[in-house]
């Protein structure tokens, strides 16, 4: 809880400071834009958060976003597959790949880092191969489909609404269902969870499916939003944004802890920072450095708070 | 022969528990002395004091007649005292010579490790030991027995005068053990003193010049040939009147909830184990370290597959395929290590109690939260868990209360077969007797209870009968009337009644 309050305060601070510097920041157009980006990044961050809460990690989401964009565009434009069918197909592809990750991690006992790192390379390679490195897009048509990413509903960008929907479902799943209880329990102590009859492997596999699906949904939105997909670069580093969002929002990489609200706030802070850097005219070359510094300070502050909390009452300081 | 080490009046407490009280130990140069005693008699504490791991609260240690302090392991090494651990502390990725020099590497002028020099120093030692491997052999390729020999070579490298071996043969094959004994005898000829801690009485009989017994943290006597015999040694280890809770007069005649026929835990057991456990009875499972007690418990709970034989659990045939499947059949396991296996320490009592019962109180993945609250409260009251509330973190509880949570969390699943592995390990005396009472109550309510224990007094006083294991097999069964330490130790050490 403290963590969430901390992130919320930091978010408000960034917003207020940026707005004071440059009122452009709060103009409806900019706010809507930032919200749209939060929406697109947020969905995959939620999936990532589930994996991180089991103590795992999914490095493949960035490449998956790229692959989803390429496959979706090719299915629709080259093969004339109807839009709903194409979307279903790419999501099914993501789910299968996530299942494959999970099976390799639980049955073959490979390390999550290794399995998904290989995924990162493989999916990028496949995306480049099937497109011959040619830029993909949907042209000028498919405007209704594109509304999913660029449109708004009562002034709110659709991706943000989609994120809120996913977040609500994820939050309920995490806090109120057997699945969520199992997830957090095995993240804290996998052995004890197994000894308590928790189907540990099944739960872990499910989280990798969810992460890949999150990347799939984000991938569809990114593709529609950009409409110009570079197979070699689309989605690069996105897994790191997802991890950063989840960690900033209070998910421990050791597993067992985290909240969906935290992930939302964590994702938001990264996106707002990016926007602030642009608006305030800070050299864009510094983008990564600024984001990295903020995350580092977040981790530091968290550690300090934890140590103060853990210090026994009345003990000498 | 001159006196090498003399410890007198050694005392040691851990918290409130007295581990050693007024213990003496005298070792001469060039002798092999056996140190025996049951689990908890103080053997480990004594050797840890002599080798500098623990410091005594009272007493004097004399080395060559002069009082000396052994504040840490390095000091013990300097005095020529080396403990060869029971768990072998070697790094797999090193070669034999590097492993022997670990932590005391020879360096050349550039500060690099002088591998060649290390190898040259190791070679003659390995030669005296007559081993089949060489200084550059990677540790990973060695058998456990060979690794044990590396540990001993390491002790020789330190020019040890006293080598302490703690259960050295617990993981050795008979031929490796023979090899080790030959080396030990050779060392004795060269004037090295060996303190040999073991449960395996035949080995001690064959090897030792003298035997020192400990019981309840005190000296219980010494034996010299020709008195060193299994019977005499058991007498040294035993000898305490146990306070026995009321005995079940009539043998339980409840439904058979666990039936093992030819159950084989290891491939070296051709016949397998045959036993039954009925509703309403508490059956103890005992044996020495490594006898397969815990393996039996994990097999019943589906954590391991048996090698062969048939199992019938709660009326359904076949081994449990997974812990989850076992829970569904009505089996519950309170594992031996509550901190890593039994409980999620960083979670509340409530959450720990919820975990096993979630599938039972949920519809379509939605748990009935009221029911969960009730069950957690019931577990707390039934087992008398002392905590401010069900929302208390388990890590904040005492060992006894943690153990009660580890047991209580299963009550909601309505288990029919309850397996307890070391139910009172690390639990204070008061909580112990409470846990015993509760075990009996659960049995009286119709559960079949299997209680695995290495605490001999507890094993021989709480259950209705005891299955004794030896080297992965069922060595025998002790009915209530025959549950005494002599019979138990005879079976557990491989003897026949």
């Amino acid at each position: 809880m403290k963590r969430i309050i901390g992130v919320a305060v930091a978010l408000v601070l960034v917003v207020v400071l940026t707005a004071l510097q440059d009122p452009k920041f709060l103009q409806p157009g900019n706010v809507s834009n930032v919200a749209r980006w939060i929406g697109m990044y947020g969905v995959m961050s939620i999936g990532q958060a589930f994996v991180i809460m089991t103590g795992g990690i999914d490095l493949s989401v960035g490449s998956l976003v790229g692959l989803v964009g390429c496959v979706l565009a090719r299915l629709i434009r080259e093969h004339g597959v109807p839009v709903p069918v194409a979307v279903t197909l790419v999501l099914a592809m993501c789910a299968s790949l996530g299942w494959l990750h999970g099976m390799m991690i639980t049955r073959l006992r490979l390390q999550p880092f290794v399995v998904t790192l290989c995924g990162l390379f493989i999916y990028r390679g496949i995306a480049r191969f099937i497109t011959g490195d040619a830029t993909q897009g949907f042209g000028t048509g498919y405007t209704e489909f594109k509304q999913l990413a660029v449109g708004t509903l009562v002034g709110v960008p659709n991706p943000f609404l989609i994120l809120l929907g996913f977040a609500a479902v994820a939050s309920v799943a995490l806090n109120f269902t057997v699945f969520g209880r199992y997830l957090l329990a095995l993240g804290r102590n996998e052995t004890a969870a197994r000894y308590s009859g928790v189907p540990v492997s099944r739960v872990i596999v499910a989280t990798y499916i969810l992460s890949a699906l999150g990347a799939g949904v984000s991938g569809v939105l990114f593709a529609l939003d950009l409409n110009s997909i570079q197979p070699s670069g689309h989605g690069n580093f996105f897994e790191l944004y997802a991890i950063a969002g989840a960690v900033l929002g209070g998910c421990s990489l050791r597993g067992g802890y985290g909240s969906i609200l935290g992930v939302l706030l964590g994702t938001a802070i990264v996106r707002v920072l990016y926007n602030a850097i642009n608006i305030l005219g800070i050299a864009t070359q510094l983008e990564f450095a600024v984001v990295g510094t903020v995350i580092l300070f977040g981790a530091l502050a968290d550690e300090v708070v934890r140590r103060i909390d853990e210090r026994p009452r009345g003990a000498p300081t | 022969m001159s006196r090498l080490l003399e410890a007198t009046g050694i005392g040691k407490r851990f918290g409130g528990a007295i581990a050693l009280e007024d213990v003496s130990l005298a070792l001469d140069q060039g002798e092999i002395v056996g140190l025996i005693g049951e689990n908890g008699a103080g053997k480990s504490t004594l050797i840890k004091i002599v080798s500098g791991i623990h410091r005594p609260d009272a007493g004097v240690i004399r080395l060559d007649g002069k009082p000396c302090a052994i504040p840490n392991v390095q000091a013990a090494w300097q005095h020529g005292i080396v403990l060869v651990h029971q768990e072998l502390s070697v790094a797999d990725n090193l070669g034999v010579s590097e492993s022997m020099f670990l932590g005391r590497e020879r360096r050349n002028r550039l500060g690099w490790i002088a591998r060649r020099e290390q190898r040259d120093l190791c070679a003659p030692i390995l030669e005296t030991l007559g081993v089949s491997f060489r200084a550059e052999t990677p540790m990973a390729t060695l058998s456990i027995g060979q690794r044990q020999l590396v540990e001993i070579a390491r002790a020789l490298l330190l020019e040890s005068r006293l080598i302490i071996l703690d259960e050295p043969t617990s993981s050795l094959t008979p031929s490796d053990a023979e090899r080790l004994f030959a080396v030990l005898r050779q060392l004795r000829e060269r004037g090295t003193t060996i303190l040999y801690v073991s449960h395996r009485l035949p080995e001690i009989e064959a090897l030792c010049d003298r035997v020192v017994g400990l019981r309840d943290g005190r000296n219980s006597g010494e034996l010299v040939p020709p008195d060193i015999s299994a019977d005499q040694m058991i007498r040294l280890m035993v000898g305490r009147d146990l306070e026995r809770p009321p005995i079940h007069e009539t043998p339980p005649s409840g439904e058979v909830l666990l039936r093992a026929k030819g159950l084989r835990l290891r491939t070296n057991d051709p016949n397998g184990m045959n036993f039954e456990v009925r509703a309403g009875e508490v059956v103890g499972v005992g044996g020495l370290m490594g006898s397969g007690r815990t393996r039996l418990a994990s097999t019943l709970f589906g954590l391991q597959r048996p090698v062969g034989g048939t199992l019938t659990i709660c009326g359904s045939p076949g081994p449990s395929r997974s812990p989850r499947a076992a829970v569904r059949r009505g089996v519950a396991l309170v594992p031996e290590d509550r901190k890593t296996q039994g409980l999620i320490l960083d979670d509340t009592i409530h959450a720990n109690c919820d975990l096993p019962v979630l599938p039972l109180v949920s519809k379509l993945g939605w748990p009935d939260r009221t029911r969960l609250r009730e069950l957690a409260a019931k577990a707390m009251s039934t087992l008398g868990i002392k905590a401010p509330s069900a929302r208390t973190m388990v890590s904040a509880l005492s060992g006894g209360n943690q153990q009660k949570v580890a047991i209580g969390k299963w009550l909601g699943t309505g288990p029919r077969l309850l397996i307890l592995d070391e139910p009172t390990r690390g639990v204070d005396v008061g909580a112990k007797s409470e846990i015993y009472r509760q075990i009996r109550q659960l049995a009286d309510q119709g559960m079949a209870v299997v209680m695995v224990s290495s605490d001999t007094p507890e094993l021989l006083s709480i259950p209705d009968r005891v299955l004794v294991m030896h080297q992965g097999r069922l060595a025998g069964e002790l009915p209530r009337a025959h549950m005494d330490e002599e019979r138990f130790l005879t079976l557990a050490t491989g003897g026949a009644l």
Side-chain angles (χ1 to χ4, degrees), chain A residues 176 178 181 188-189 192 196-197 199, chain B residues 324 340 346 354 362 365 367 409:
Chain A
F176 297 99
V178 174
R181 300 292 304 272
R188 286 178 204 198
N189 185 340
S196 301
Chain B
R324 191 173 176 76
T340 62
D346 299 333
D354 291 352
S362 304
K409 73 176 198 176

Side-chain angles (χ1 to χ4, degrees), chain A residues 165-179:
Chain A
F166 273 97
V169 172
S171 197
V172 168
L174 188 62
N175 296 304
F176 297 99
T177 68
V178 174
F179 171 74

Side-chain angles (χ1 to χ4, degrees), chain B residues 130-389:
Chain B
V131 296
S132 56
F133 52 88
R134 304 185 329 148
E136 54 270 30
T137 311
M139 290 300 294
T141 63
L142 301 185
S143 73
I144 294 170
Q146 289 172 320
R147 288 173 191 216
Q148 186 89 53
L149 288 172
V150 173
E151 284 283 297
I152 289 169
R154 189 176 146 98
L156 294 181
L157 191 66
L158 290 157
E159 291 176 354
S160 313
R161 305 166 66 201
L162 170 59
I163 299 179
I164 306 170
L165 295 145
D166 188 7
E167 297 282 356
T169 54
S170 58
S171 47
L172 297 192
T173 63
S175 63
D176 277 339
E178 274 311 315
R179 160 103 257 149
L180 174 70
F181 298 155
V183 169
L184 295 181
R185 291 194 183 99
Q186 209 181 321
L187 287 172
R188 172 176 57 186
E189 298 315 312
R190 292 177 16 185
T192 310
T193 306
I194 288 153
L195 184 60
Y196 192 89
V197 182
S198 181
H199 268 121
R200 303 195 172 181
L201 303 182
E203 285 175 5
I204 293 197
E205 197 175 336
L207 191 68
C208 295
D209 305 315
R210 199 153 58 86
V211 173
V212 174
L214 289 182
R215 186 198 306 149
D216 292 338
R218 293 166 169 276
N219 287 87
S220 61
E222 277 194 31
L223 297 171
V224 288
D227 291 337
I228 301 181
S229 66
D231 283 350
Q232 293 285 351
M233 284 190 274
I234 288 173
R235 209 151 294 156
L236 269 195
M237 295 159 75
V238 183
R240 168 177 27 179
D241 287 329
L242 293 166
E243 189 195 325
R244 296 196 170 195
I247 298 174
H248 251 256
E249 292 306 335
T250 49
S253 52
E255 187 192 344
V256 175
L257 292 179
L258 168 61
R259 177 180 284 128
K261 267 195 187 151
L263 177 69
R264 293 166 65 211
L265 302 179
R266 294 187 189 169
T267 43
N268 69 0
D269 178 9
N271 303 318
M273 314 171 65
N274 294 299
F275 62 89
E276 285 181 354
V277 182
R278 292 171 178 275
E281 63 173 346
V282 179
V283 175
V285 176
L288 304 177
M289 188 98 62
S291 61
R293 300 173 308 212
T294 294
R295 204 185 180 106
L296 174 62
S298 352
T299 306
L300 296 178
F301 193 60
L303 288 155
Q304 271 176 324
R305 295 297 179 88
V307 176
T310 58
L311 261 179
T312 310
I313 297 173
C314 302
S316 68
S320 305
R321 294 162 48 87
S322 67
R324 191 173 176 76
V327 173
R328 224 176 271 145
R329 294 165 97 176
V331 187
L333 170 72
V334 179
E336 61 178 331
D337 187 348
R338 66 171 164 269
K339 288 182 196 296
T340 62
Q341 302 166 333
L343 295 169
I344 299 175
L345 288 182
D346 299 333
D347 226 328
T348 61
I349 299 172
H350 197 327
N352 271 280
C353 289
D354 291 352
L355 218 43
V357 297
L358 276 169
L360 300 169
V361 301
S362 304
K363 279 199 183 105
L364 299 169
W366 291 82
D368 177 346
R369 290 158 83 92
T370 322
R371 190 93 185 87
L372 284 175
R373 235 187 336 267
E374 287 166 10
L375 287 172
K378 194 171 162 224
M380 285 183 72
S381 66
T382 310
L383 281 154
I385 296 164
K386 291 180 200 77
S389 84

